[in-house]
Amino acid sequence: DAGVTQSPTHLIKTRGQQVTLRCSPISGHKSVSWYQQVLGQGPQFIFQYYEKEERGRGNFPDRFSARQFPNYSSELNVNALLLGDSALYLCASSFGDLPPDTQYFGPGTRLTVL
Amino acid sequence: AQSVSQHNHHVILSEAASLELGCNYSYGGTVNLFWYVQYPGQHLQLLLKYFSGDPLVKGIKGFEAEFIKSKFSFNLRKPSVQWSDTAEYFCAVIGSGNNNDMRFGAGTRLTVKP
C-alpha cells in the first residue's frame, strides 16, 4: 500500500517568493494535517483539513494557507517567504478528523529560503 | 496550553543496554499519546500509541511505553537496544476532542554504539 506522498522533495526559494507544497494521503484517509519541523525541534501543527474543510489551525501567520481537494489531497501555500520559513514540511493523513486516531506521516518537503 | 517535554536531548548507549526515554505532558483532559521514531534519512514512523485501556502498551521492534496518569508521563522503554535503534524519538500528545492538533516534544536523539 502506498503511504503518504509529498512533492516536491526539496525546494529552494528566495525571500518574498511564494511556494506550494503538495500531499496525497493514504487511500481511504479523509483527513490531512500539515506540520512544520525546524531543525532540532519537534514538528509543529499548522493546519488540519477534513472533507475539504479546515478543522484546526496552529499558531502560524496568515501567510500560511492550505486547501483540500475532493480526492482528499492537499496543498500548503506559503506567501512572502521569510528566512525563518526554512524547515521540513510534513504532511500526515488519518481516517477521521478527531482523536483517537493515528496520523501517518509522509517523507516531507525540505524548504530552504535564501 | 498543551505541551510535551522530553527530558533527554541526546542519549548514547552501547548495544544490549536498557533504554528509557522520558516524556511528560501538560494537558488537563483525556489524552491520546504517541511515540514516533525517525531513522536517519527516513520519515516519521509510529512506534506505539495509547488511547485507553491497559496503560502498558507494546509497540514495534520490542519497544513499550507506560502511561502513568498521576505523573502525566508516557516513558518509552526497551530492555536491550540494538545499533539499528539509532534514531530520533518523538513523544506526542493529542487532547481528545481537539481536532488533530498533535503536540510534539523536541525529540531525543539516540545513538547506539556497536
Side-chain angles (χ1 to χ4, degrees):
Chain A
D1 286 342
V4 177
T5 59
Q6 293 185 244
S7 63
T9 306
H10 296 92
L11 209 48
I12 299 175
K13 293 284 188 178
T14 56
R15 280 179 296 176
Q17 285 189 310
Q18 175 264 341
V19 68
T20 298
L21 312 180
R22 295 176 176 82
C23 170
S24 291
I26 292 171
S27 177
H29 284 190
K30 300 180 179 180
S31 176
V32 169
S33 297
W34 287 94
Y35 292 82
Q36 181 195 65
Q37 186 177 15
V38 174
L39 200 61
Q41 297 181 22
Q44 274 197 290
F45 176 75
I46 309 175
F47 283 112
Q48 184 204 1
Y49 275 77
Y50 177 76
E51 293 278 16
K52 296 178 291 180
E53 290 187 3
E54 182 182 304
R55 290 301 184 95
R57 184 185 184 113
N59 189 23
F60 281 80
D62 291 343
R63 300 184 295 107
F64 288 76
S65 63
R67 55 180 175 167
Q68 187 177 33
F69 300 97
N71 66 354
Y72 303 113
S73 67
S74 177
E75 285 182 353
L76 175 70
N77 295 286
V78 187
N79 293 324
L81 286 167
L82 302 174
L83 295 179
D85 295 331
S86 295
L88 181 67
Y89 288 85
L90 298 169
C91 173
S93 77
S94 58
F95 180 75
D97 62 329
L98 292 175
D101 203 350
T102 301
Q103 294 183 48
Y104 297 89
F105 286 82
T109 294
R110 172 75 61 187
L111 172 65
T112 302
V113 182
L114 303 176
Chain B
Q2 283 175 256
S3 67
V4 179
S5 297
Q6 291 185 240
H7 312 303
N8 309 100
H9 179 64
H10 189 192
V11 172
I12 302 173
L13 296 173
S14 298
E15 277 195 312
S18 64
L19 170 72
E20 181 159 3
L21 301 182
C23 172
N24 285 90
Y25 64 90
S26 170
Y27 186 71
T30 302
V31 292
N32 302 286
L33 298 157
F34 305 82
W35 276 96
Y36 283 88
V37 60
Q38 193 167 31
Y39 297 104
Q42 297 187 27
H43 60 279
L44 277 169
Q45 299 173 38
L46 181 70
L47 259 185
L48 47 79
K49 60 189 178 185
Y50 173 80
F51 290 164
S52 64
D54 188 344
L56 184 63
V57 293
K58 296 190 183 301
I60 60 172
K61 303 187 181 185
F63 286 90
E64 65 178 31
E66 185 175 13
F67 170 50
I68 303 180
K69 189 175 181 180
S70 60
K71 294 184 177 180
F72 298 90
S73 70
F74 190 56
N75 291 353
L76 181 71
R77 299 194 292 249
K78 185 171 184 178
S80 176
V81 295
Q82 301 172 320
W83 176 78
S84 58
D85 293 325
T86 295
E88 187 105 23
Y89 292 81
F90 293 94
C91 180
V93 60
I94 297 179
S96 287
N98 225 26
N99 59 55
N100 270 347
D101 179 357
M102 185 182 287
R103 301 297 172 97
F104 283 83
T108 296
R109 183 154 60 100
L110 172 66
T111 301
V112 180
K113 295 181 175 180

